[in-house]
Amino acid sequence: MLLGAPIVASTKLIAFRLPLFTRSALPYRASPLLRSTSQAQVKLPTSIASISTTPSVCNARPNNHDFDANNMTTSSYPLQPSEPVDPVHGPSKTQKPINVHANGHVHANGSTSSRQHNKTAPLLPIDPLQGKIDNAKKIQLLARDFRSDTITAPTESMIRAMAEASRGDDVYGEDETTNSFQAEIAALTGKESAIFVPSGTLSNQLALRTHLYQPPHTVLCDTRSHIHRYEAGGIAFHCGASTEIVAPSNGHHLRWDEDIQPNLNLSDDIHFSPTRIISLENTLNGTIFPQDEIVKISTEARKLGLIMHLDGARIWNVAAETGLSLKELCDPFDTVSLCLSKGLGAPIGSILVGPSQFIKKVRHFRKLYGAGVRQVGPLVAAARVGVLENYPKLQATHQLARYAGRELEKLGVRLTAPVETSMVFLDTSSIDIPIPELVSRAASLPRPIKLGGGRMVVHYQIEKQAIDDLLELIKLMKQEKKDGTGPTATTAAAGNAGLYSNSMSSGPNKNSSTSTTDSATSTANGNGNGNGHARTLSIENRGLVFQTIGTSSRKPSDDMRHSVSLVLPFPDRTSALTLQQSISVDKELKPKEVRKEFTILNRSSTSAEGEQDRVEMGVKIFATTVRQLRLSVNAFLEDAALICRTMGQFDPLQRQIDEAKKIQLDKELEQGSIGIAG
């Protein structure tokens, strides 16, 4: 019997180190041994079962008392089977502990009860949504939802394919459905390899991160591009790269000669981040990038050793509309991202194609980003059905979108982009209807219509009746505006085009759909608050003010199509000429990219002293790119400030003023010292 003591002590030590659920279960298995030890009257510290299983009590020092097998209790586990246990926070305060005796009988609150098993309650109750989901109604609502083509619902054939898909582990590369589909898409696009990822944003970011392995570097892209505007700053966050955003001079697509080549940075100047990638998007805002221009850009870029990436989220629409194969569309690019959940209607997913070694590295980064999905086969199977069944339906969505565009223009609605595939960008301010008001009224129809601002996306589950109902609503609202009737209360601000717009400005502009040129022109005329903000810069010692009166992106006779105009007031003509001559001494480092023009004008002004003459210097700075323009303006302002301070130091009048101030200050200090001493 003496052998029982060390065994019990050893068991107690183990119980302290076992997980929570093991400690509470251990007394039941050990109870026969513990009873025999009790009969031998061996005194031990607190019994294992009497030690609380809550963390606060387990960490406390136990009190010594005689072991009594008949008083074995658990503090809170197991709970009454009728009340499930919260696995994170433990039992609720209303739950009562159950006393478990060594003989297996269970007593709640000290009362006797029949013998029963210790069953674990389920962690979750019965699904509260069981039998309450109406997918048929949801699909009916989607038929009138123009917010995006990402909101389509999976079809029954997709659901069946998901049930029949393989269930291997894709992180280990062992899922047959995924491997087969990746090989199919790689062959369709003419690339060596492909990888399935959960989203288009992830696909683009993985591609850019894998390409850009050592900063500094820059990605050149359209100012409206998804990678710049709508991927949460991922290029800067993941790659440590900057973006050179370019607005197409023709308002439609970037061109090599006019837009891309002038904005490349290929120098070894350590002040700049060199261009490494040209990223294009096709379609972009529903418009198709001409393939011949893409080929030209790719040819010239590869001569310079630049990487070509395509955000082909809706490249399927391009293939359906133009008849070009995916291989033809993807050949000019090193890597291409193709979305499966937009026009094709898959529930999730994009696929990235490129060279085999590149995709192998992408797989590594995908794991690093936590985006490796294990049994992804069912999702891939649904995407494959989308390619097979929904790709042929894309042309019909394009026709429906063009119908909507034509009818809207007949009503006087201005389209801000041509309707070439499935998107319609509209501006109803032309008929005095704010976009938010239209969105609100459409959502209030007996059969609601959902709009995402000034962008309509026609997907394959849209019904034509929804477009006709929207047109009728606009007709009604036009008539109400004309008659002065209809709802008078609206909380929407005019001009809000929603999250997605066709604006050429550097970021999403929620208050205007005008281009950069329009914003700059309105600022130059004293209206608006676009990119050409009026600003002032005070110069020390001279009281001079630099005032920007406007910016312009209108193309002059040469390639320097970006410019800024400044007006600098001076007290006399000599000061203005001194500044001009001092600035002109240094020749432009890049005369083919930057140019300055100076003009000195005499102005008459009226003040309290009467009519006075003053001098203004006009400075206009031209540059081939916005970046060069910004750098040139900053450098000019710094030089001008230094010259003005220097003139102030050597100006006789200024010296007299400074000397007078110094004499006055010395007198004040002397008087203060005498006062303190006295």
Side-chain angles (χ1 to χ4, degrees):
M1 299 302 294
L2 293 177
L3 294 176
I7 294 175
V8 174
S10 175
T11 305
K12 178 176 182 297
L13 180 61
I14 294 173
F16 271 101
R17 295 183 179 179
L18 289 176
L20 192 61
F21 66 90
T22 307
R23 297 180 207 163
S24 61
L26 186 58
Y28 310 124
R29 296 195 299 270
S31 57
L33 176 61
L34 295 176
R35 283 200 300 273
S36 63
T37 306
S38 177
Q39 293 171 0
Q41 298 182 353
V42 178
K43 290 188 177 182
L44 292 173
T46 306
S47 66
I48 300 169
S50 65
I51 298 174
S52 173
T53 55
T54 58
S56 59
V57 180
C58 285
N59 293 331
R61 184 182 299 275
N63 296 323
N64 292 334
H65 62 79
D66 292 342
F67 176 78
D68 185 358
N70 293 326
N71 288 327
M72 289 178 59
T73 61
T74 58
S75 62
S76 57
Y77 291 94
L79 296 175
Q80 299 180 39
S82 60
E83 297 187 59
V85 181
D86 186 333
V88 177
H89 303 96
S92 66
K93 295 181 179 179
T94 61
Q95 291 173 326
K96 301 175 182 179
I98 298 177
N99 298 331
V100 183
H101 282 241
N103 58 9
H105 290 282
V106 180
H107 298 270
N109 299 329
S111 61
T112 60
S113 64
S114 60
R115 185 183 185 92
Q116 56 181 299
H117 296 289
N118 176 27
K119 297 181 179 179
T120 302
L123 295 180
L124 294 176
I126 297 175
D127 185 359
L129 297 178
Q130 186 174 355
K132 298 180 181 179
I133 297 176
D134 189 349
N135 283 320
K137 183 178 180 180
K138 287 184 178 295
I139 293 178
Q140 291 177 359
L141 295 175
L142 292 177
R144 301 171 68 82
D145 194 332
F146 293 94
R147 290 175 297 172
S148 177
D149 49 3
T150 60
I151 49 88
T152 54
T155 61
E156 292 300 322
S157 54
M158 288 182 181
I159 301 300
R160 287 194 298 271
M162 293 173 72
E164 298 170 0
S166 61
R167 303 175 188 180
D169 192 315
D170 180 52
V171 174
Y172 289 120
E174 298 173 354
D175 185 71
E176 295 89 342
T177 299
T178 304
N179 293 339
S180 175
F181 182 67
Q182 289 172 165
E184 287 179 308
I185 298 300
L188 281 175
T189 57
K191 303 301 180 184
E192 293 180 355
S193 188
I195 184 171
F196 180 89
V197 297
S199 72
T201 293
L202 180 62
S203 182
N204 282 326
Q205 293 301 317
L206 284 172
L208 296 173
R209 178 62 187 87
T210 308
H211 282 308
L212 301 175
Y213 52 86
Q214 186 175 358
H217 31 226
T218 295
V219 178
L220 187 146
C221 59
D222 193 301
T223 184
R224 303 163 295 171
S225 63
H226 195 276
I227 64 168
H228 168 65
R229 284 197 176 193
Y230 306 115
E231 296 188 5
I235 294 178
F237 184 85
H238 296 299
C239 309
S242 61
T243 53
E244 181 69 41
I245 54 172
V246 183
S249 55
N250 61 7
H252 186 272
H253 62 274
L254 296 178
R255 293 176 291 177
W256 175 261
D257 295 325
E258 292 81 0
D259 306 311
I260 295 179
Q261 195 276 335
N263 287 286
L264 295 176
N265 181 22
L266 305 175
S267 70
D268 295 329
D269 192 326
I270 61 174
H271 295 88
F272 305 114
S273 175
T275 306
R276 291 284 182 255
I277 294 179
I278 297 175
S279 179
L280 305 181
E281 189 170 335
N282 198 13
T283 65
L284 199 163
N285 286 355
T287 60
I288 297 175
F289 207 124
Q291 188 65 13
D292 56 348
E293 186 64 37
I294 288 178
V295 172
K296 179 179 180 179
I297 294 171
S298 176
T299 302
E300 298 298 327
R302 285 172 171 169
K303 290 179 183 178
L304 300 173
L306 300 178
I307 298 167
M308 292 289 294
H309 173 71
L310 174 65
D311 179 359
R314 294 182 174 89
I315 195 69
W316 311 96
N317 297 77
V318 180
E321 185 64 25
T322 63
L324 296 174
S325 68
L326 285 178
K327 184 179 185 305
E328 291 177 275
L329 295 170
C330 297
D331 269 347
F333 298 93
D334 298 288
T335 53
V336 180
S337 170
L338 304 91
C339 188
L340 303 164
S341 63
K342 291 186 170 68
L344 300 183
I348 189 174
S350 284
I351 194 160
L352 178 64
V353 297
S356 296
Q357 288 301 313
F358 179 88
I359 296 299
K360 182 178 180 181
K361 188 63 178 178
V362 169
R363 183 175 290 274
H364 197 162
F365 278 118
R366 186 184 69 171
K367 178 62 177 175
L368 183 150
Y369 287 178
V373 182
R374 295 290 181 174
Q375 287 70 32
V376 75
L379 296 177
V380 175
R384 190 175 190 277
V385 172
V387 176
L388 292 174
E389 295 186 358
N390 296 336
Y391 171 73
K393 301 175 183 177
L394 292 179
Q395 273 193 330
T397 66
H398 301 169
Q399 294 171 4
L400 204 54
R402 282 192 286 267
Y403 165 74
R406 288 193 304 269
E407 296 302 315
L408 286 168
E409 285 187 311
K410 290 178 182 178
L411 294 175
V413 176
R414 186 175 73 91
L415 302 184
T416 61
V419 182
E420 298 179 6
T421 53
S422 60
M423 292 188 184
V424 183
F425 285 85
L426 59 152
D427 177 13
T428 53
S429 63
S430 56
I431 55 174
D432 197 28
I433 297 177
I435 285 289
E437 184 179 340
L438 176 62
V439 172
S440 177
R441 291 285 296 275
S444 302
L445 292 173
R447 292 187 63 200
I449 295 175
K450 291 185 178 181
L451 298 173
R455 184 187 79 159
M456 291 175 57
V457 184
V458 180
H459 52 79
Y460 77 95
Q461 290 179 336
I462 283 286
E463 62 180 12
K464 181 176 179 294
Q465 186 60 47
I467 295 177
D468 292 334
D469 290 347
L470 180 64
L471 295 171
E472 288 299 321
L473 174 63
I474 294 176
K475 289 179 184 178
L476 174 63
M477 295 177 70
K478 277 187 64 178
Q479 190 62 40
E480 290 174 349
K481 294 289 183 181
K482 182 179 179 180
D483 300 339
T485 60
T488 57
T490 176
T491 58
N496 191 335
L499 174 64
Y500 298 98
S501 70
N502 196 45
S503 171
M504 299 289 180
S505 59
S506 60
N509 187 346
K510 297 184 178 180
N511 297 318
S512 175
S513 60
T514 58
S515 67
T516 305
T517 302
D518 297 333
S519 300
T521 305
S522 65
T523 305
N525 295 330
N527 302 319
N529 55 356
N531 293 337
H533 297 286
R535 64 173 183 172
T536 59
L537 174 65
S538 297
I539 306 300
E540 299 176 8
N541 301 328
R542 297 291 293 182
L544 301 181
V545 176
F546 288 57
Q547 183 180 16
T548 303
I549 63 171
T551 63
S552 174
S553 294
R554 295 181 179 178
K555 186 176 179 181
S557 57
D558 55 15
D559 290 334
M560 299 184 187
R561 58 190 181 87
H562 302 284
S563 65
V564 168
S565 298
L566 304 171
V567 173
L568 288 68
F570 284 88
D572 53 63
R573 189 176 184 84
T574 302
S575 300
L577 287 172
T578 302
L579 176 63
Q580 178 187 355
Q581 293 168 359
S582 301
I583 292 289
S584 301
V585 168
D586 296 326
K587 302 299 180 183
E588 293 292 346
L589 296 177
K590 298 180 179 180
K592 294 183 179 180
E593 299 181 16
V594 179
R595 183 178 75 250
K596 296 185 183 73
E597 294 179 357
F598 295 90
T599 304
I600 298 178
L601 301 173
N602 292 323
R603 301 288 188 186
S604 296
S605 61
T606 303
S607 63
E609 290 78 13
E611 187 171 319
Q612 296 180 345
D613 289 336
R614 61 188 178 90
V615 175
E616 288 183 349
M617 173 186 285
V619 183
K620 193 164 187 178
I621 304 175
F622 298 90
T624 56
T625 66
V626 174
R627 181 186 64 199
Q628 284 289 359
L629 181 63
R630 182 180 68 249
L631 295 173
S632 299
V633 171
N634 289 340
F636 172 78
L637 292 176
E638 291 176 359
D639 291 344
L642 176 61
I643 293 169
C644 288
R645 285 196 297 268
T646 304
M647 287 193 294
Q649 291 292 328
F650 292 94
D651 188 340
L653 177 60
Q654 186 65 42
R655 285 204 305 272
Q656 293 176 11
I657 295 174
D658 292 341
E659 290 175 0
K661 287 183 178 180
K662 185 176 183 301
I663 293 172
Q664 180 65 24
L665 180 61
D666 291 341
K667 288 182 179 179
E668 292 175 356
L669 291 174
E670 183 179 357
Q671 292 173 358
S673 299
I674 295 173
I676 293 173

